[in-house]
Structure formats: C-alpha cells, structure tokens
C-alpha cells in the first residue's frame, strides 16, 4: 500500500515540478532577453524566493498527502466502503456508480441463491414422504436378506436428505441459531438414535459418559455435528485384512470439565487419519488419501460443515489420531453464555 501511495505521489509531484520548472525557466529567459540592464543579483534573489516558496508548498502538499495515505490505511481494516467515508475521494462519482452496480448484482445473486435454497428445502421435505412410505413397506418384506439390504439403502437416503437439508440451511446468510442451556446427554442420545441402524449392523460397542453436563449451544445443530462424527466412525471402521480376525468397532463419548470449559470427546477405534491428512480434514472438499484407494466414497463436506457450524456457535473443534488405531474429536464449550 505504501508503494502505491509513493508511486501516486511521485507522478503527482513530477507534474507540479514540470510546471514549476517551466515557469522558472520562462521567468529567467524573460529577465535575460527583455529586461535591459537588469542586475544578475536581483535574479538570484528572486530565484531563491521562488525556490523557497516552491519548497514550502511542496512540503505542505507532501504532509497532506501522507496524512491522507495514513487515513486510508487506517480504514482498510474496516468493513465499510471507504469511498463513502472520504469526502475528498478522487473520482468519487465513478466509485459510487461502480458500488451501486455491484450492489445490484449482489442483490440479484442473493435472490437467485435464496430461491435455489427454498427449492432444495421443499424438495427435501417432499422426498421425505415417499421415503417414509418406503420404510413402512420394508417392514412387510418377509425375505430377511432383501429386507436388510433395502433398509440400508433407505437409511442412507434418509441421512443424505437430512444432510442436504441442513447443509442448505447452513449456507443461508439467515442461519437460524438458537443458543440456550442444553443437556449434552440429550444431544448424544438423539444422534446415537439417528445412527442406531448402522451402529447395530456394524456391531459397535458404545460407551457414553456425559453425566449431567450442560452447555450453551443450539441442540439441533449440535446433533448434526455429532451425526457427522458418529457417521465417520461407522464409515471408517477398521476392516480386517486377509487372514486377520475382525475387531469389534468401539465408539466412546465422554465429557471432561476444565475451569470455564467443558470438553466433549468422540473417539472410535477405526482406521484413523494419516499425518498428511489430519491438518486438512476440515477443509472444504478435502477427501484425504482414503478416498484415492477406491474403498470409500466421500464428498469432503461433512467435517467442513461440522467445523463451520461449530464456528458459528462459538465453540471449538479439534482432532487427534493415530493411523490404524483411533480417531478422537474434541468439542470445547463454554460453561456460561458470556464466553461466546
């Protein structure tokens, strides 16, 4: 920024210097050719006065310009339009015109985005009707194997639709968040119930020890975050290799209190996360090395949205893992509403 101002002032000063040099040269030529008998001492005296005045005006101009530059730099960290804060902004009319054009374009994009979100939300709700009918019809199938396979696909569809619906809400600038005192145990039980079918199918051993811990959060969004973490534990359960015995999947959820904070841990004994992946698992669209071996299908959006929700709620989320042994997520809450 300082370089830009230096270049801008240099061009401005060179223009004024050229005009001043032309005036000075014209005055001296006029003195030599048109003033007969003029003494050179007078000319030197007048030149000194001219240069002194020029130096004073240049210094004042530089001081004003530096002050203007510092003022603009101080405004760069603000979230307001600088061109509307500076009364002496050059080409203000052009800047105002461009701002109005951009605002109209943003309004159109906002309306289009909101319309698309409304359409997706309605589509999700409409899809829940035939999905619920499919789950009821599945109960009437006598073939146990076919019944189980169909139930798996219906449950996956249900999870994907719920994820799409909540993801659509998350992208909205008018995200509905209702933070209030919430029992973590209720959130954990709801999430476990949401994932009950797959937890039972995979034969997970579940250990929960959250006690009566209460935190300030939004219960529905916290359940969504827990669904993502538990869903990953199911998805990345460690599978036995050739000649190996199958290990029982384990899922542990517990809380720990620390001064003004409560920590919620979600740990599984799955495949774990490699060192090259663990720093990027919350990035949008990042699928990691597990995706490339063709074994898993991942969009890289689940943990990204979970981290985004945690940030919106004012909490923190972290992860530690050892590849091939375990993955442990930690969500940190404040005990009181003033911590947000």
């Amino acid at each position: 920024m300082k370089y830009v101002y230096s270049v801008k002032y240099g061009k401005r000063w060179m223009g004024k210097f050229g005009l001043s040099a032309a005036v000075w040269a014209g005055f001296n030529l006029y003195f030599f050719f048109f003033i007969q008998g003029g003494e050179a001492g007078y000319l030197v005296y007048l030149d000194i006065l001219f240069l002194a005045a020029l130096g004073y005006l240049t210094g004042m101009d530089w001081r004003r310009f530096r002050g203007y530059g510092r003022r603009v730099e101080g405004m760069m960290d603000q979230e307001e339009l600088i061109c509307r804060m500076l009364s002496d902004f050059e080409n203000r009319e052009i800047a105002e015109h461009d701002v109005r054009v951009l605002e109209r374009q943003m309004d159109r994009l906002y309306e289009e985005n909101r319309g698309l979100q409304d359409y997706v939300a309605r589509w999700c709700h409409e899809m829940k009707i035939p999905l619920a009918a499919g789950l009821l019809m599945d109960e009437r199938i006598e073939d146990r194997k076919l019944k189980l396979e169909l139930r798996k696909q219906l449950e996956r569809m249900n999870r994907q639709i719920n994820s799409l619906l909540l993801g659509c809400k998350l992208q909205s600038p008018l995200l509905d968040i209702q933070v209030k005192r919430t029992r973590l145990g209720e959130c954990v039980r709801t999430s476990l119930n949401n994932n009950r079918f797959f937890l039972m199918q995979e034969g997970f051993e579940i250990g929960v020890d959250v006690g009566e811990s209460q935190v300030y959060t939004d219960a529905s969004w916290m359940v969504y975050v827990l669904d993502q973490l538990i869903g990953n534990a199911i998805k990345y359960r460690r599978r036995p290799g050739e000649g190996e015995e199958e290990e029982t999947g384990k899922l542990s959820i517990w809380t720990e209190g620390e001064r003004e904070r409560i920590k919620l841990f979600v740990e599984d004994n799955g495949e774990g996360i490699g060192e090259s992946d663990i720093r990027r698992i919350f990035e949008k669209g990042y699928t990691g090395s597990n995706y490339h071996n063709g074994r898993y299908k991942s969009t890289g959006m689940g943990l990204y949205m979970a981290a985004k929700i945690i940030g919106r709620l004012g909490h923190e989320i972290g992860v530690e893992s050892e590849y091939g042994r375990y993955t442990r997520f930690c969500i940190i809450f404040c005990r009181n509403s003033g911590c947000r």
Side-chain angles (χ1 to χ4, degrees):
M1 183 61 66
K2 292 183 178 179
Y3 172 76
V4 174
Y5 282 123
S6 298
V7 172
K8 183 177 180 181
Y9 182 80
K11 293 180 178 179
R12 179 178 178 181
W13 185 82
M14 287 299 294
K16 292 186 176 182
F17 176 78
L19 178 61
S20 300
V23 171
W24 177 82
F27 177 77
N28 280 267
L29 289 173
Y30 178 83
F31 185 88
F32 278 115
F33 291 104
F34 295 100
I35 298 180
Q36 301 295 329
E39 295 185 7
Y42 292 150
L43 179 61
V44 172
Y45 178 72
L46 292 175
D47 285 344
I48 292 174
L49 291 178
F50 178 82
L51 292 174
L54 179 63
Y56 175 77
L57 294 175
T58 302
M60 292 298 294
D61 186 60
W62 171 253
R63 182 180 178 183
R64 286 195 298 270
F65 190 77
R66 285 293 301 275
Y68 178 84
R70 286 193 294 268
R71 183 183 175 192
V72 171
E73 288 182 6
M75 294 178 177
M76 287 299 177
D77 296 331
Q78 301 184 21
E79 297 296 331
E80 300 181 17
L81 295 175
I82 296 178
C83 66
R84 292 180 176 174
M85 299 171 62
L86 294 175
S87 59
D88 54 345
F89 184 77
E90 294 183 7
N91 298 322
R92 182 185 180 89
E93 295 79 7
I94 297 177
E96 287 281 0
H97 169 269
D98 290 347
V99 168
R100 288 193 295 269
V101 170
L102 291 174
E103 286 178 341
R104 288 194 294 269
Q105 292 177 355
M106 291 298 295
D107 289 340
R108 286 196 296 269
L109 291 174
Y110 172 77
E111 290 299 328
E112 293 175 2
N113 184 50
R114 189 173 67 173
L116 178 60
Q117 289 177 352
D118 291 341
Y119 171 77
V120 172
R122 288 196 300 269
W123 182 87
C124 289
H125 285 297
E126 291 295 329
M127 285 297 296
K128 281 182 171 293
I129 297 175
L131 180 61
L135 289 170
L136 291 175
M137 294 172 64
D138 179 69
E139 297 295 330
R140 300 168 58 184
I141 298 178
E142 296 182 358
D143 188 325
R144 183 175 179 81
K145 184 177 180 180
L146 176 61
K147 178 179 180 179
L148 180 60
E149 290 300 322
L150 180 58
R151 179 66 182 273
K152 284 182 179 180
Q153 301 306 319
L154 292 173
E155 290 289 347
R156 286 172 180 165
M157 289 174 59
N158 187 40
R159 288 183 58 182
Q160 292 299 324
I161 289 175
N162 289 334
S163 178
L164 177 60
L165 181 60
L166 290 174
C168 184
K169 291 180 180 180
L170 180 62
Q171 299 302 319
S172 173
L174 303 177
L175 179 61
D176 183 21
I177 293 180
Q178 298 181 2
V179 175
K180 59 183 179 181
R181 196 168 182 83
T182 304
R183 293 183 181 274
L184 277 179
E186 295 180 1
C187 296
V188 171
R189 284 191 292 272
T190 301
S191 182
L192 289 174
N193 185 62
N194 292 343
N195 294 274
R196 177 179 57 182
F197 176 79
F198 292 104
L199 288 170
M200 292 177 62
Q201 290 300 312
E202 295 293 340
F204 266 79
E205 293 183 359
I206 303 173
V208 179
D209 183 16
V210 296
E212 298 297 324
S213 300
Q214 297 186 24
V215 296
Y216 281 88
T217 189
D218 184 298
S220 60
W221 285 114
M222 185 50 53
V223 169
Y224 174 80
V225 172
L226 291 173
D227 282 348
Q228 297 301 315
L229 302 184
I230 295 174
N232 276 356
I234 299 171
K235 184 176 183 179
Y236 297 109
R237 178 192 171 190
R238 187 162 60 249
R239 309 294 177 179
E242 187 175 350
E244 296 179 352
E245 294 185 2
E246 184 172 2
E247 183 180 357
T248 302
K250 296 180 181 179
L251 178 66
S252 301
I253 304 175
W254 74 95
T255 56
E256 293 180 4
E258 182 180 309
R259 295 182 181 179
E260 295 301 318
R261 300 189 299 176
I262 287 181
K263 296 181 179 180
L264 174 67
F265 294 92
V266 179
E267 180 179 326
D268 64 77
N269 65 336
E271 293 200 348
I273 306 170
E275 292 183 6
S276 61
D277 296 329
I278 197 167
R279 294 185 299 272
R280 302 185 58 190
I281 62 173
F282 296 117
E283 294 180 8
K284 185 176 182 179
Y286 186 72
T287 56
S289 58
N290 284 339
Y291 172 77
H292 300 290
N293 61 21
R295 184 171 178 179
Y296 304 107
K297 294 181 179 180
S298 176
T299 62
M301 295 298 293
L303 290 179
Y304 162 75
M305 290 195 293
K308 191 170 184 179
I309 290 171
I310 289 295
R312 293 278 189 97
L313 294 174
H315 311 322
E316 300 175 20
I317 186 170
V319 59
E320 62 178 280
S321 179
E322 183 176 342
Y323 190 72
R325 292 193 60 190
Y326 74 94
T327 300
R328 182 187 302 128
F329 288 92
C330 176
I331 302 174
I332 303 175
F333 305 86
C334 290
R335 286 179 183 266
N336 53 74
S337 58
C339 293
R340 290 194 70 232

